[in-house]
Amino acid sequence: MSYCLNPSCSSPKNPDKTEVCQSCGAKILMRDRYKGIKSLGQGGFGMTFLSIDMSLPGNPPCVIKQLRPSTDDPQIFQMAKELFEREAETLGKIGNHPQVPRLLDYFEYNKYFYLVQEYVKGNNLQQEIKKNGPLSEAGARQFLSEILPMIQYIHSQEVIHRDIKPANLIRREQDKKIVLIDFGAVKNKVNPQAAANTSDQTALTSFAIGTPGFAPPEQMALRPVYSSDVYALGVTCIYLLTGKSPKELDYNQKTGEMEWRKEMDISDKFAKVLQKMLEVSVRHRYKTADEVLRAMELEAYEDQLQQGLITPNQSNQGSTNLSNSGRNANSGDSTSGRSKPVSASQKLAEQLRRRRDRNKRGDAGMGGYNSYSSGMGGAGLSGRGARLPDSGDIMNTAGRPAKKRKVVRLDEKTVLDGYVKGRRDFAQQNLSQLDLSEADLSGGIFHESQLRRTNLQKTNLVKADFGKASLIKANLRNANLVRAYFSGADLEEADLRGADLSHANFNQANLNKANLCGANLTGAKITEQQLAVAKTNWSTVMPEGRKGFW
């Protein structure tokens, strides 16, 4: 079937090979190039069509947005035109991100304006929830970990989306990635003083305030800020976890806050993150998407370290209860009369526990998350110059360095069987030349381990700790290394082709001659100097989301 794109056509559906509309006589092929297939939807300012580009090989599909205001008021038309131009400008500016539709064309045709963008095939999250039911906490966490870096990128381009909601988030059928659509309500000239400037309340902005229930109070008051998108993302999470829209939930009549906690069964830690995303007051809400990411990373890393406490080490000896070791370290007590070695994960968990305790007491000397994450290889946690012990230093119960743990040569069966039984701590072990391909080793701790020429192809290594590890010539091709920690690691000549390295931390890592062709580095902490000595190609996704050579 062909679809006539003439705005005044009363019967736009036509037989497939029709060249001229049987109803209005208009040419079916707009600009001798675009052929309408069907209508996708209609809004206050226009219609959206699925079309195909007949000028390109294979006739790829595309989406055509047509400016068609529902009124003849010239002032309204001018406002709609400005919003339309703003969307085209924004897509042209940020459309190189893999989770944002690309702008393909923008033109005027027969006194109407058209915007052509990439077609994203898939279901939106509203459709998914209606079909499959609400997500679990793990599903909501996964959603946030994927969407927040993209929101962070959009904000870095001085763009506020202003209409984040499940219907505007499509899970792309091709790779299951979430894509954010509909930039018709964006604010792309962000002024830090706008929130305090009443003159910013123009008639134009009053037409693009977002979706009630998802938009926070300051946005409804025509004063959007970056954290307005954070709030909308929080409401979206509530929908994903409950299947209920904002209007179906109760609100506190005194504070205006959404009463969502009773609607779901999630951990207190995750609830605390959501609560701060949903603060009615901008002052108390996360200011940026990056702040939410850091809060989730710290929480996840704390859980990972706590897991190391209950994991038996190689000798199954010398394990120390965290709270007891903390008391002994502070008091100098030793029930056995001699120091007891603890694992690297226990040591880091103890440092994290002390940091959390001091924060609860309001100790201003403790540094924030950044000082913790960047201090793994050098800077201290306390912010007073105190050194975080090297992972090779085993701490006794008095807090003094003891001897390094003996490096043990492990085989594939020991590693894989140990992981299945709950072991996650493989720090300071010799795992060189092992075949661990296609295994699940997510969250594994390989701090300072030897992994030279180790085969980790297609292995699940999400959030794995490779700090100061030797991965020279290791095979990490197509491995899942999302949020993996490589600070101080040696990755010289490592094969990372096609690996998912999104949000990985390469602080002070050696990437000389490492092969990053086709790797996904979206949001990764990596420098220009590191990329300059590594191998990249046109299919490498760079940290800011674009593809191509560095």
Side-chain angles (χ1 to χ4, degrees):
M1 184 185 75
S2 298
Y3 200 96
C4 178
L5 298 176
N6 177 15
S8 59
C9 184
S10 59
S11 182
K13 295 181 181 179
N14 287 271
D16 187 33
K17 295 186 178 181
T18 304
E19 294 185 0
V20 177
C21 178
Q22 297 177 349
S23 175
C24 68
K27 293 177 63 176
I28 292 295
L29 209 59
M30 178 183 287
R31 300 182 79 198
D32 297 323
R33 178 173 182 178
Y34 299 111
K35 178 181 178 181
I37 301 298
K38 65 178 181 179
S39 172
L40 293 177
Q42 182 172 2
F45 293 143
M47 293 192 66
T48 306
F49 306 94
L50 173 63
S51 307
I52 56 177
D53 190 342
M54 301 296 290
S55 70
L56 295 178
N59 305 139
C62 58
V63 172
I64 294 181
K65 296 188 75 171
Q66 178 189 74
L67 178 62
R68 187 190 296 186
S70 55
T71 175
D72 294 329
D73 187 326
Q75 184 179 3
I76 299 299
F77 181 84
Q78 181 61 29
M79 294 175 185
K81 180 183 175 183
E82 288 183 37
L83 286 172
F84 209 64
E85 291 173 344
R86 178 188 294 179
E87 180 173 9
E89 178 185 345
T90 301
L91 285 175
K93 183 178 181 181
I94 67 175
N96 61 342
H97 192 282
Q99 290 171 268
V100 175
R102 287 179 295 124
L103 177 67
L104 303 177
D105 204 352
Y106 178 71
F107 55 88
E108 183 180 355
Y109 183 76
N110 290 340
K111 298 183 179 180
Y112 285 93
F113 293 92
Y114 295 86
L115 181 155
V116 185
Q117 64 186 45
E118 175 187 7
Y119 173 59
V120 181
K121 186 177 181 181
N123 293 324
N124 64 47
L125 296 190
Q126 186 177 32
Q127 294 169 328
E128 280 195 358
I129 297 302
K130 287 183 176 179
K131 179 181 179 181
N132 304 321
L135 297 182
S136 63
E137 176 179 336
R141 285 175 177 271
Q142 177 60 37
F143 161 74
L144 282 177
S145 66
E146 183 175 345
I147 197 72
L148 281 166
M150 183 249 288
I151 301 301
Q152 183 182 351
Y153 167 75
I154 292 173
H155 289 174
S156 73
Q157 302 301 307
E158 296 188 338
V159 170
I160 304 173
H161 187 276
R162 296 207 292 183
D163 201 16
I164 296 174
K165 58 184 179 181
N168 283 341
L169 292 160
I170 296 178
R171 192 179 302 280
R172 187 163 48 206
E173 186 178 290
Q174 177 183 0
D175 57 5
K176 306 304 179 185
K177 295 288 187 182
I178 295 176
V179 178
L180 180 61
I181 63 168
D182 198 352
F183 284 77
V186 298
K187 183 176 179 61
N188 58 3
K189 293 181 180 179
V190 180
N191 180 355
Q193 304 300 323
N197 185 2
T198 56
S199 66
D200 191 51
Q201 299 182 19
T202 63
L204 174 59
T205 59
S206 68
F207 272 87
I209 58 176
T211 302
F214 288 90
E218 76 279 356
Q219 184 173 321
M220 300 300 286
L222 312 180
R223 297 177 180 179
V225 290
Y226 292 125
S227 67
S228 302
D229 283 347
V230 173
Y231 181 94
L233 209 52
V235 180
T236 298
C237 275
I238 301 304
Y239 177 84
L240 299 180
L241 287 162
T242 65
K244 295 182 179 181
S245 64
K247 65 181 180 180
E248 297 177 275
L249 299 173
D250 295 329
Y251 284 78
N252 186 308
Q253 294 183 354
K254 293 182 178 180
T255 65
E257 293 178 327
M258 185 188 305
E259 295 183 342
W260 52 270
R261 186 67 177 90
K262 60 185 178 181
E263 301 286 343
M264 64 192 73
D265 181 20
I266 58 175
S267 67
D268 290 340
K269 289 182 179 180
F270 189 48
K272 186 177 180 181
V273 173
L274 289 180
Q275 183 60 52
K276 193 166 182 180
M277 293 177 71
L278 293 165
E279 286 285 351
V280 172
S281 169
V282 174
R283 179 178 299 177
H284 299 118
R285 192 187 310 152
Y286 290 117
K287 301 297 186 295
T288 64
D290 186 52
E291 284 189 12
V292 186
L293 268 176
R294 283 185 288 172
M296 292 182 63
E297 286 175 349
L298 181 58
E299 175 192 329
Y301 202 75
E302 178 180 351
D303 290 341
Q304 177 181 332
L305 294 176
Q306 294 290 354
Q307 177 66 30
L309 294 175
I310 60 173
T311 303
N313 59 22
Q314 181 71 14
S315 62
N316 207 25
Q317 296 176 352
S319 61
T320 306
N321 179 274
L322 176 60
S323 60
N324 287 338
S325 73
R327 287 193 293 268
N328 289 341
N330 290 330
S331 65
D333 291 344
S334 176
T335 56
S336 64
R338 62 171 180 264
S339 63
K340 294 182 179 180
V342 296
S343 68
S345 60
Q346 284 176 301
K347 172 202 60 184
L348 292 172
E350 171 64 8
Q351 292 283 342
L352 188 59
R353 184 190 68 80
R354 293 179 185 176
R355 175 176 180 266
R356 183 177 62 244
D357 289 346
R358 293 190 188 182
N359 282 339
K360 288 181 179 178
R361 295 195 302 267
D363 188 342
M366 294 303 288
Y369 172 78
N370 282 338
S371 65
Y372 173 69
S373 61
S374 63
M376 295 294 288
L381 285 173
S382 69
R384 292 191 289 259
R387 185 181 70 90
L388 176 64
D390 252 11
S391 59
D393 296 338
I394 302 302
M395 303 299 293
N396 60 24
T397 53
R400 292 187 296 270
K403 294 181 179 178
K404 286 193 176 185
R405 178 165 55 179
K406 182 179 179 181
V407 177
V408 179
R409 171 70 179 178
L410 302 183
D411 56 25
E412 289 95 343
K413 188 176 186 304
T414 300
V415 174
L416 299 178
D417 288 352
Y419 187 90
V420 171
K421 293 176 181 178
R423 178 178 178 181
R424 297 295 181 269
D425 188 355
F426 299 96
Q428 302 172 12
Q429 306 302 314
N430 186 354
L431 308 174
S432 294
Q433 300 185 33
L434 299 188
D435 184 3
L436 300 171
S437 58
E438 301 187 33
D440 182 4
L441 296 172
S442 57
I445 300 173
F446 302 94
H447 210 83
E448 287 195 333
S449 288
Q450 294 293 322
L451 294 130
R452 293 171 177 255
R453 298 182 181 274
T454 300
N455 184 5
L456 294 164
Q457 184 170 347
K458 296 184 179 180
T459 299
N460 181 7
L461 292 161
V462 172
K463 297 180 181 177
D465 179 2
F466 291 102
K468 297 186 179 179
S470 174
L471 290 148
I472 296 174
K473 296 185 178 180
N475 180 3
L476 292 155
R477 190 170 182 178
N478 295 316
N480 186 350
L481 291 156
V482 174
R483 301 192 186 282
Y485 183 77
F486 290 102
S487 182
D490 190 350
L491 288 151
E492 184 163 358
E493 296 188 56
D495 187 353
L496 292 153
R497 285 176 291 174
D500 190 347
L501 294 158
S502 52
H503 312 293
N505 187 339
F506 290 97
N507 180 41
Q508 297 182 347
N510 176 21
L511 290 168
N512 185 37
K513 298 182 181 179
N515 195 335
L516 295 170
C517 294
N520 179 13
L521 291 164
T522 303
K525 295 179 180 179
I526 190 170
T527 67
E528 297 181 20
Q529 291 77 12
Q530 288 172 309
L531 286 168
V533 298
K535 298 178 182 177
T536 60
N537 67 354
W538 62 270
S539 63
T540 303
V541 181
M542 295 301 172
E544 70 278 13
R546 69 174 177 82
K547 282 188 176 182
F549 297 93
W550 181 256

